[in-house]
Amino acid sequence: MAAKKESQGTKLVLKVVTGTDAEGKATTSQRTFGNVNPAISDDDLLAIGAKVGGLQAHDLAAVNRIDSASLVEEA
């Protein structure tokens, strides 16, 4: 049987620099925004992430897209 992928959603995850540790390395936190339209292009989502990241109190370190799906057997 062949597998079929069923989309479960897309999330926008912003990683922001929140400080430094004892060794001077940057520490980060994540801001997650769910219910993103899975049809949005990567370019558009990056632009939105950069704009939203600019509104954060901390510096933006990365913009990530997480697409999740479940795999089911096709009948």
Side-chain angles (χ1 to χ4, degrees), residues 1 7 10-11 25-26 29 31 34 37 41-42 48 52-58 61 63 69 72-73:
M1 271 190 201
S7 179
T10 299
K11 295 178 185 177
K25 295 173 72 176
S29 292
R31 311 286 188 256
N37 184 345
S41 72
D42 292 340
I48 292 167
V52 173
L55 300 173
Q56 300 295 306
H58 303 288
V63 177
V72 296
E73 289 184 1

Side-chain angles (χ1 to χ4, degrees), residues 3 12 19-20 22 25 31 40 49 68 71:
L12 169 65
T20 55
K25 295 173 72 176
R31 311 286 188 256
I40 192 168
S68 62
L71 298 176

Side-chain angles (χ1 to χ4, degrees), residues 30-72:
Q30 293 187 35
R31 311 286 188 256
T32 303
F33 301 89
N35 298 319
V36 174
N37 184 345
I40 192 168
S41 72
D42 292 340
D43 290 334
D44 288 342
L45 194 56
L46 177 61
I48 292 167
K51 294 281 187 185
V52 173
L55 300 173
Q56 300 295 306
H58 303 288
D59 292 334
L60 183 63
V63 177
N64 297 308
R65 175 185 185 138
I66 299 176
D67 295 309
S68 62
S70 62
L71 298 176
V72 296

